[in-house]
Amino acid sequence: MDVEAAKNAPERDSSRFDDDGRAKRTGNVFTATTHIVTVVVGAGVLALAWAMAQLGWLAGIGVMVTFACISMYTYHCIADCYRFPDPISGKRNYTYMQAVNSYLGGTMHLFCGSVLYAKLAGVTVGYCITSSISMVAIKKAICFHREGHDAYCKFSNNPYMIGFGVVQLLLSQTPNFHKLTWISTVAAATSFGYAFIGSGLSLAVVVQGKGQPTSLFGKKIGPDLSEGEKVWKVFSALGNIALASSFATVIYDIMDTLKSSPPESVQMKRANMLGIIVMTILFILCGGLGYAAFGNDTPGNILTGFGFYEPFWLVALGNVFIVIHMVGAYQVMAQPLFRVIEMGANMAWPHSDFINKGYPIKMGFLSCEVNFFRLVWRTAYVIIATVLAMAMPFFNEFLGLLGAFGFWPLIVFFPIQMHIAQKQIKTRSLKWFMLQLLSLMCFLVTVAAAVGSIRGICKNINKYKLFMYKQ
């Protein structure tokens, strides 16, 4: 819709169109919080017990709370930048990249885009890995129950990754993010399900007096753990926690679903606060109880690492919840990537029927519109992501790398720089120095986490044959 049409749209029917001429948005604080929970309460939450084991009680809880406080502040800054230049009445920025371009200019816009969409692509690969590990864990739970805990119950991840990819091929044809609220709602509900199952099983171990020794400072250096290895694992643990804290990649897609009154920034700040509080409580609950149950031998994922064998049906149910959640979360993360490519193709070839034309199809009471470019491009993307997941199925290390890659630029650097530009904070003022110091500290954490995760991936790649991984 052109600018003139956008101006006239509200005059035509203000009950059907927003101030930008697009269809009336109906989202609210509840739906935005649901989207946030869907993204942040991912299977990475089940890796937090492992991260806690590397850091210990003191640093583990401290890092989670610190990351939550930093996220609360910077996500509020992002919310204020949804509109430009005024957070209430300015022009909408439909994507994170548009906001960066509005406030910081073209060079930063390109840098942001490269980080943002690489992160989205990486996360979809990570979700494919996670879902396959959980599907294998379901089969292993049944196998251990029937054959005994010492039985050989190892299976290839590849068939399950392919099955997950087929499901995503179908769901990826959903036209846009606005059609995904029901998927997000189901996914958010299941995320609570497996988080509480993991926490409940851990609590049962602790209550029965079978919990393993823990430490304020994590696993101690000794014959089984060198000083260097301890440092690398601490770095990787930071990346795992950083990934669990992130939803910056889709925050503007979430904001673009919100109704205009109250102002979007006000609603999003409330959703940020609720989502981050829920996130932090769940993180400490899952991480702390898992660490209390397994101590220094905490597995990388408390539901798939088989610290629990019985009740086998509950372990299996927890992994079913993970798979359902990954199905929804994959789409929440992939849709913004799909949209930006399709918008770019539309701008480059505005008269191409292959790219822009939809063909209605009706089958009984079901009807849909097929766009051939969307069909080909999204199918190719899902296939490539699935193949990459099959080639590198390492849970903790991959999560840590994704967390490190996106934490500083997306959650700290860009929000702080946009906030400085929007509020016109003077260079070299006290507030400017404090904000830059925060950014520098988070940058150092990102570098450390990335190096630790890359080292872990390299070590694992040397131990297995490509596409032949079994667990």
Side-chain angles (χ1 to χ4, degrees):
M1 185 175 291
D2 59 29
V3 175
E4 190 61 36
K7 290 180 179 177
N8 293 331
E11 297 175 6
R12 292 200 309 268
D13 189 350
S14 60
S15 66
R16 294 178 55 204
F17 296 95
D18 271 328
D19 58 309
D20 59 347
R22 296 192 177 187
K24 198 79 172 178
R25 296 160 176 84
T26 58
N28 52 40
V29 173
F30 173 76
T31 60
T33 303
T34 299
H35 283 309
I36 291 171
V37 172
T38 300
V39 175
V40 299
V41 187
V45 74
L46 300 173
L48 293 176
W50 177 86
M52 186 81 83
Q54 314 313 312
L55 297 168
W57 290 110
L58 194 62
I61 295 176
V63 168
M64 290 181 194
V65 173
T66 300
F67 277 20
C69 292
I70 292 171
S71 298
M72 187 87 72
Y73 177 75
T74 57
Y75 282 128
H76 281 13
C77 294
I78 294 174
D80 279 336
C81 295
Y82 173 65
R83 289 180 180 266
F84 173 84
D86 184 81
I88 305 298
S89 59
K91 180 183 176 183
R92 296 174 189 265
N93 291 303
Y94 300 110
T95 67
Y96 199 126
M97 284 181 66
Q98 284 184 1
V100 170
N101 189 44
S102 297
Y103 284 97
L104 303 178
T107 303
M108 288 295 185
H109 171 257
L110 294 176
F111 175 42
C112 174
S114 63
V115 174
L116 180 64
Y117 293 108
K119 173 73 181 295
L120 286 172
V123 168
T124 58
V125 173
Y127 285 165
C128 191
I129 294 171
T130 303
S131 64
S132 70
I133 290 173
S134 289
M135 284 186 271
V136 169
I138 295 168
K139 193 169 183 179
K140 289 173 73 173
I142 297 171
C143 175
F144 284 131
H145 178 71
R146 290 176 176 173
E147 307 295 334
H149 298 174
D150 296 325
Y152 182 83
C153 295
K154 289 194 174 184
F155 308 97
S156 172
N157 291 41
N158 291 346
Y160 302 98
M161 290 193 187
I162 292 170
F164 183 81
V166 170
V167 172
Q168 295 303 334
L169 283 177
L170 299 174
L171 290 178
S172 292
Q173 296 308 312
T174 304
N176 57 58
F177 195 86
H178 301 278
K179 304 293 184 181
L180 295 175
T181 297
W182 69 272
I183 294 180
S184 285
T185 303
V186 172
T190 57
S191 68
F192 281 102
Y194 66 70
F196 284 121
I197 286 174
S199 300
L201 289 171
S202 298
L203 180 60
V205 171
V206 175
V207 169
Q208 292 169 10
K210 298 178 181 178
Q212 300 300 310
T214 60
S215 168
L216 282 177
F217 304 103
K219 191 173 181 179
K220 295 181 180 179
I221 296 169
D224 298 329
L225 184 67
S226 67
E227 290 184 7
E229 195 66 26
K230 168 77 173 180
V231 171
W232 293 122
K233 287 190 174 183
V234 166
F235 287 169
S236 185
L238 292 174
N240 275 255
I241 296 173
L243 178 67
S245 305
S246 176
F247 58 94
T249 45
V250 294
I251 187 169
Y252 282 141
D253 296 274
I254 295 172
M255 288 193 73
D256 201 38
T257 68
L258 295 174
K259 57 188 179 183
S260 300
S261 181
E264 301 89 353
S265 60
V266 174
Q267 294 183 78
M268 197 63 202
K269 286 179 182 180
R270 292 173 185 166
N272 287 340
M273 183 175 66
L274 291 172
I276 291 172
I277 288 173
V278 170
M279 168 189 86
T280 307
I281 292 172
L282 278 173
F283 287 0
I284 294 174
L285 188 67
C286 291
L289 287 174
Y291 181 40
F294 301 112
N296 293 336
D297 296 323
T298 301
N301 182 320
I302 59 175
L303 280 181
T304 63
F306 282 89
F308 309 110
Y309 291 96
E310 301 293 342
F312 83 99
W313 62 268
L314 191 57
V315 175
L317 180 62
N319 282 291
V320 169
F321 284 162
I322 292 175
V323 174
I324 294 172
H325 179 256
M326 290 300 99
V327 169
Y330 187 106
Q331 286 302 310
V332 171
M333 301 301 273
Q335 286 289 335
L337 178 60
F338 294 157
R339 185 174 74 166
V340 74
I341 295 297
E342 288 155 17
M343 287 172 61
N346 176 267
M347 292 171 63
W349 299 283
H351 305 296
S352 169
D353 286 346
F354 175 74
I355 291 173
N356 301 300
K357 190 172 181 180
Y359 299 89
I361 295 178
K362 190 172 184 179
M363 294 177 289
F365 63 90
L366 296 176
S367 62
C368 62
E369 186 176 85
V370 175
N371 173 273
F372 287 121
F373 176 69
R374 183 171 69 227
L375 179 65
V376 172
W377 135 248
R378 295 189 182 191
T379 299
Y381 175 83
V382 173
I383 291 172
I384 293 171
T386 304
V387 171
L388 287 174
M390 292 165 65
M392 195 169 54
F394 310 124
F395 182 73
N396 291 92
E397 293 80 4
F398 198 81
L399 291 185
L401 180 60
L402 289 174
F405 185 72
F407 177 68
W408 174 72
L410 298 178
I411 300 179
V412 181
F413 176 72
F414 288 123
I416 284 177
Q417 298 307 316
M418 288 193 292
H419 177 70
I420 289 172
Q422 185 185 58
K423 301 301 182 182
Q424 299 181 350
I425 297 172
K426 292 183 178 180
T427 303
R428 296 186 179 85
S429 65
L430 178 60
K431 186 173 182 179
W432 184 89
F433 273 117
M434 295 301 292
L435 290 172
Q436 300 298 349
L437 179 61
L438 174 62
S439 182
L440 175 61
M441 292 172 63
C442 291
F443 173 73
L444 295 176
V445 170
T446 288
V447 171
V451 171
S453 298
I454 290 170
R455 180 179 180 275
I457 290 173
C458 291
K459 284 185 66 178
N460 281 326
I461 284 178
N462 292 331
K463 293 179 181 178
Y464 99 114
K465 296 179 181 179
L466 203 62
F467 300 111
M468 297 294 288
Y469 183 76
K470 287 187 177 183
Q471 63 161 9

